[in-house]
Amino acid sequence: AQRVTQPEKLLSVFKGAPVELKCNYSYSGSPELFWYVQYSRQRLQLLLRHISRESIKGFTADLNKGETSFHLKKPFAQEEDSAMYYCALSRGGTSYGKLTFGQGTILTVHP
Amino acid sequence: DGGITQSPKYLFRKEGQNVTLSCEQNLNHDAMYWYRQDPGQGLRLIYYSQIVNDFQKGDIAEGYSVSREKKESFPLTVTSAQKNPTAFYLCASSLLGSSGPSGRGEQFFGPGTRLTVL
């Protein structure tokens, strides 16, 4: 069975510092990986997906199949980045659309 | 305001009672999902449905039941058999195809219902 692990429950950085939220997965096939974000008093929403290879709000994430990781990075954190971040995996195939989420990381960016 | 809605926002239940949480979407999405969100445990999938009149158990289906009589609606019943029902419940929907603005894997979430068992 697939599994997503986010080792840090809490992560604190100062404004302007680099930030990296870790995500590791276990799955024998070819997964699709995603990062979802939940800002205070807002709904959980998609931040980015690995297949798009895009940068959203300055965040990037590279899928490393060798290390089975999909870490989320931003070179200069902003206070508005403070939120709960979830890494998620989709197996595709008959489980198309079904996501497995990690435990989540609460990021706090201090002024 | 379109999208996906959940009601009520807060729900209180006495032990031994069943309670139903509502989830409606007007996005014309094929698939709908119910998750439970607990601190430190992330989102865990309870049930999901990819088509009307069909649904599958997720990872923690025990003590829950669902129905999918209409494409727009996917209500979740928390039964008295659920041993620890106090939690935040999230409903989501998604397209199943890869076309369209929402590609594979993007789920749209409702605002959630906080259930407290007294």
Side-chain angles (χ1 to χ4, degrees), chain A residues 9 32 34 36 38 43-46 49 51 84 86 90 92-104, chain B residues 1 4 33 35 37 40-43 45 48 50 88 90 95-98 101-107 109-111:
Chain A
K9 288 186 180 180
E32 293 186 30
F34 307 84
Y36 278 77
Q38 189 170 27
R43 302 183 184 200
L44 189 63
Q45 59 187 291
L46 177 69
R49 69 193 93 192
I51 199 168
M84 168 74 90
Y86 288 102
S90 171
T94 56
S95 297
Y96 198 81
K98 180 174 172 242
L99 294 174
T100 298
F101 285 86
Q103 301 92 326
Chain B
D1 185 25
I4 182 164
Y33 313 82
Y35 294 93
Q37 188 177 29
Q41 298 195 53
L43 274 70
L45 183 65
Y48 66 105
Q50 296 181 324
F88 190 61
L90 283 172
L95 290 170
L96 287 180
S98 58
S102 299
R104 299 195 319 184
E106 181 170 11
Q107 294 185 8
F109 285 82

Side-chain angles (χ1 to χ4, degrees), chain B residues 3-96:
Chain B
I4 182 164
T5 58
Q6 292 183 243
S7 62
K9 188 173 181 180
Y10 298 97
L11 191 55
F12 296 89
R13 188 196 91 178
K14 292 183 179 178
E15 279 194 42
Q17 289 181 337
N18 292 355
V19 63
T20 298
L21 284 60
S22 169
C23 178
E24 305 276 334
Q25 54 97 1
N26 63 3
L27 301 169
N28 200 32
H29 284 171
D30 305 294
M32 296 187 75
Y33 313 82
W34 273 106
Y35 294 93
R36 174 180 169 139
Q37 188 177 29
D38 296 284
Q41 298 195 53
L43 274 70
R44 293 181 291 168
L45 183 65
I46 304 172
Y47 269 97
Y48 66 105
S49 168
Q50 296 181 324
I51 194 170
V52 173
N53 292 323
D54 188 44
F55 46 83
Q56 289 78 41
K57 292 182 179 179
D59 301 317
I60 54 165
E62 185 177 351
Y64 299 98
S65 66
V66 293
S67 63
R68 187 85 187 275
E69 297 178 0
K70 299 186 298 182
K71 187 176 184 178
E72 303 79 21
S73 179
F74 191 41
L76 173 74
T77 297
V78 184
T79 75
S80 56
Q82 167 52 232
K83 294 179 182 177
N84 186 19
T86 294
F88 190 61
Y89 291 87
L90 283 172
C91 180
S93 68
S94 73
L95 290 170
L96 287 180

Side-chain angles (χ1 to χ4, degrees), chain A residues 44-61:
Chain A
L44 189 63
Q45 59 187 291
L46 177 69
L47 179 62
L48 57 78
R49 69 193 93 192
H50 92 268
I51 199 168
S52 300
R53 303 185 66 83
E54 56 198 347
S55 174
I56 302 293
K57 298 184 179 183
F59 283 99
T60 58

